[in-house]
Amino acid sequence: QVQLVESGGGLVQAGGSLRLSCAASGSIFRIDAMGWYRQAPGKQRELVARIFSGGSTNYADSVKGRFTISRDNAKNTLYLQMNILKPEDTAVYYCNAVLNYGMPYWGKGTLVTVSS
């Protein structure tokens, strides 16, 4: 069993910052990639940022320069530092992990609300 637990969401004013965390636990012997996705009301889930086992990253164009994804391998924890937040960043943010040679896992999500 593998669990992903997100934390760090909340309400913030536009221009503010938040840091999301995702702790992975359970039977993990390889992390292929981890990432953050988000889903706003009435919209499809979209990729925000992803980090691969070698350390390479990619970001959605809408968050480039504002968000930074990072990972603490010793703690199996993923982070998303979100700066200069905008109302359009409001969404439920989900942690995703591809583990153990291709198995996908999802967290339950954490709500980020950015007020204007």
Side-chain angles (χ1 to χ4, degrees):
Q1 283 283 46
V2 172
Q3 275 194 320
L4 302 178
V5 179
E6 302 100 334
S7 61
L11 174 64
V12 64
Q13 286 189 330
S17 298
L18 282 175
R19 189 174 85 149
L20 305 184
S21 300
C22 170
S25 61
S27 301
I28 301 169
F29 56 84
R30 176 186 165 95
I31 297 177
D32 298 306
M34 295 186 77
W36 291 97
Y37 289 71
R38 67 186 181 188
Q39 187 166 18
K43 295 189 176 182
Q44 288 189 328
R45 191 174 297 188
E46 63 175 0
L47 173 68
V48 176
R50 187 166 44 189
I51 184 166
F52 296 91
S53 57
S56 61
T57 58
N58 58 18
Y59 294 88
D61 288 343
S62 59
V63 307
K64 282 180 182 176
R66 300 188 297 124
F67 291 11
T68 303
I69 191 170
S70 62
R71 188 179 70 207
D72 184 331
N73 292 329
K75 296 180 179 179
N76 283 343
T77 300
L78 181 73
Y79 303 99
L80 184 69
Q81 178 66 43
M82 305 187 293
N83 298 327
I84 317 175
L85 282 160
K86 304 176 180 179
E88 51 263 43
D89 294 318
T90 295
V92 177
Y93 283 70
Y94 296 92
C95 177
N96 168 267
V98 180
L99 307 173
N100 304 338
Y101 298 100
M103 292 295 294
Y105 296 89
W106 291 92
K108 293 183 178 180
T110 185
L111 177 62
V112 171
T113 303
V114 184
S115 64
S116 57

